[in-house]
Structures are given as C-alpha cells and as structure tokens.
Amino acid sequence: MQRQTVDFPLLSDVIDALQNILARSQVIMPDLETPYSRAKFSPANHSAIELKDHSIGAIITERQQQLDAVLYKVSGLETVMDSINNIYRYLIEKDKITQSTNLHKKLVLALWRLPTEVISQKFVHCLPKHHTWWPSSKLAPMLLTRICRRWREVAVRLPILWCRLRLDAEGVHDRQWQLIAFCYDSWLRRSRGLPLSLEVWCYADNSTTKLRSLIQPYSALHQSNLVFFYPFLPRRRQT
C-alpha cells in the first residue's frame, strides 16, 4: 500500500514561528471601559448619546480593529499549533515504527540462533509440492535466498533444494538466453552431485540442442538422473 506523504514545517521553523508570535503578543491589553459600559439608557436615545472625545461609532471601529489584530495573532498561533499536532502525530508513529522494528529484530535474532539443521529442515518443507517447477523468485528455493544473508547461505549450500527443475526450451531463442542459461546452470550446480529430476518443455525439434548441451555435464555426473522431454506440447507457462 502506497504511503501518503504529508508536508509540514520543520521543527525549527515551528519554534521560530511560535517565538515570533509570543514576542508580538507581549502587549498591554487596552482599557475596554467606556462611559457606556455601565451607563443606563433607553434604546431610543442611542443615536443621540455622544462622548466628549469619541462617539459610539468610533468606539465600535476601535474595538473592531483590536479584534482583527487579536484574530490575526490567533490565526498565526493556530497554524503553529496545527504544525505541532502534525509533528506530535509523527512522533507517535515513529514510536510505533520503532516498536515494530525492535519486535522483528528480535524475531530475526531468534531465527539466527536456530541451528542450521533446523533451518534446513524447514526449508525443505517450503518447497513446492509439484514434481518440478519453473525458477521463480516468488517460490522456494529462490525466495529463501532473498530474505537475509543467513538464509541465503543455508539455502545455497543445501543441495536437496536444487534437485528439481523445469526448463523451457523456447528460452534458447530469447535474446536473454545467456542470462537464462546462467540461471539454469547456477541452479544445477547447487545440487552438488545429487540425483536430478528435470523436465524440459520443448516447442520445436531444434529447440533442445542448447539445453542438452547445458544439461549434459550434470547428466554425465548423475547416472540416476531422470530427464523428461515433451516435444510439441501446446504452449504453457507457469510462474
């Protein structure tokens, strides 16, 4: 699942903004008392009441200006608080990630402490149930070599994992045949002399020549090898 990225100010920027707001906020609140604050008068006389220096309209204008100034400072503070809340949420997430990391590190350490014999037995049980299978990074034994260095070392040195293989003869016509041949050869070398069970899937008369040459050294070493050739089968690929 793709993580959604959220941009928020750096902690130093948040601190600077907060300090600026606090510095601007150190002002003396004006005296809001006026002769009208406690005066008792009837609504009919509102328009006629005037102060010596200021009318009611001037006071209202002044109060609105004071309110706008306070709201401006509050909005800046709210922005900073939102940034602080975002940082706080990330700190909580960081703690959860750290806890999860530590938990899985303990699991890895436990697996590292297992004897090689125990790991080897578990690896054998991870093999596909088919008689042979195509090489795939999503299946054992290749998948086992991609987990960690210890697992790779155990898997590569365990010949029984590499005794069964299904080969595609059509790959000899592929532009990446050299890479395919290297993959097959690496797989067969890891069998270290154990009997092999191989299936070669063929689609043309001349498609097996290169594969026969590739397999021949291992066939010569293992007299009990069982090699199946299936010429002219309908095209079928399995991952």
Side-chain angles (χ1 to χ4, degrees):
M1 180 177 64
Q2 185 175 4
R3 293 292 303 274
Q4 181 180 4
T5 59
V6 179
D7 295 331
F8 60 92
L10 296 175
L11 182 59
S12 58
D13 295 337
V14 174
I15 294 176
D16 291 341
L18 184 58
Q19 290 176 339
N20 291 333
I21 292 175
L22 293 176
R24 292 197 306 268
S25 299
Q26 295 176 357
V27 295
I28 300 176
M29 292 297 297
D31 184 8
L32 302 180
E33 291 291 335
T34 70
Y36 300 101
S37 300
R38 299 178 181 178
K40 296 181 180 180
F41 48 87
S42 62
N45 295 328
H46 281 185
S47 60
I49 298 176
E50 292 281 343
L51 289 177
K52 293 182 180 179
D53 299 324
H54 299 285
S55 66
I56 293 179
I59 294 175
I60 294 175
T61 300
E62 181 181 5
R63 293 295 181 268
Q64 186 61 51
Q65 293 173 348
Q66 293 168 340
L67 179 60
D68 291 341
V70 171
L71 291 176
Y72 173 76
K73 294 176 182 178
V74 170
S75 65
L77 184 59
E78 288 177 344
T79 301
V80 174
M81 292 304 297
D82 289 342
S83 299
I84 292 176
N85 288 333
N86 285 337
I87 293 176
Y88 177 71
R89 285 194 291 268
Y90 271 80
L91 290 176
I92 294 178
E93 184 176 359
K94 178 188 73 68
D95 291 339
K96 292 181 179 179
I97 293 174
T98 301
Q99 293 175 2
S100 178
T101 301
N102 292 336
L103 171 64
H104 288 82
K105 283 183 177 179
K106 292 179 181 179
L107 293 176
V108 171
L109 289 175
L111 291 174
W112 270 77
R113 295 190 185 101
L114 288 176
T116 300
E117 293 77 9
V118 175
I119 298 178
S120 299
Q121 291 178 6
K122 293 184 177 296
F123 282 3
V124 172
H125 290 292
C126 291
L127 293 174
K129 302 304 181 182
H130 312 294
H131 181 70
T132 61
W133 52 84
W134 305 105
S136 173
S137 60
K138 298 180 180 180
L139 296 173
M142 292 184 63
L143 177 62
L144 301 174
T145 67
R146 300 165 60 90
I147 305 302
C148 65
R149 180 167 54 86
R150 172 82 188 286
W151 282 29
R152 176 178 176 80
E153 291 175 352
V154 174
V156 169
R157 295 174 182 175
L158 189 60
I160 195 174
L161 299 181
W162 310 95
C163 293
R164 292 182 285 171
L165 178 63
R166 187 176 300 171
L167 303 91
D168 186 357
E170 190 170 328
V172 301
H173 305 297
D174 196 297
R175 293 182 178 180
Q176 296 184 344
W177 164 244
Q178 295 298 328
L179 180 61
I180 296 174
F182 177 79
C183 174
Y184 288 158
D185 185 63
S186 298
W187 185 295
L188 296 173
R189 280 190 287 108
R190 291 172 182 174
S191 65
R192 299 177 183 269
L194 291 183
L196 301 175
S197 294
L198 306 177
E199 285 187 9
V200 180
W201 286 50
C202 310
Y203 305 95
D205 290 332
N206 60 350
S207 62
T208 62
T209 304
K210 291 183 178 180
L211 275 180
R212 286 180 181 273
S213 299
L214 178 65
I215 297 172
Q216 193 276 332
Y218 302 98
S219 300
L221 292 175
H222 316 302
Q223 298 300 323
S224 58
N225 287 352
L226 182 59
V227 181
F228 296 94
F229 291 92
Y230 297 92
F232 310 114
L233 282 179
R235 180 172 179 78
R236 175 189 175 200
R237 297 302 301 270
Q238 175 181 336
T239 57

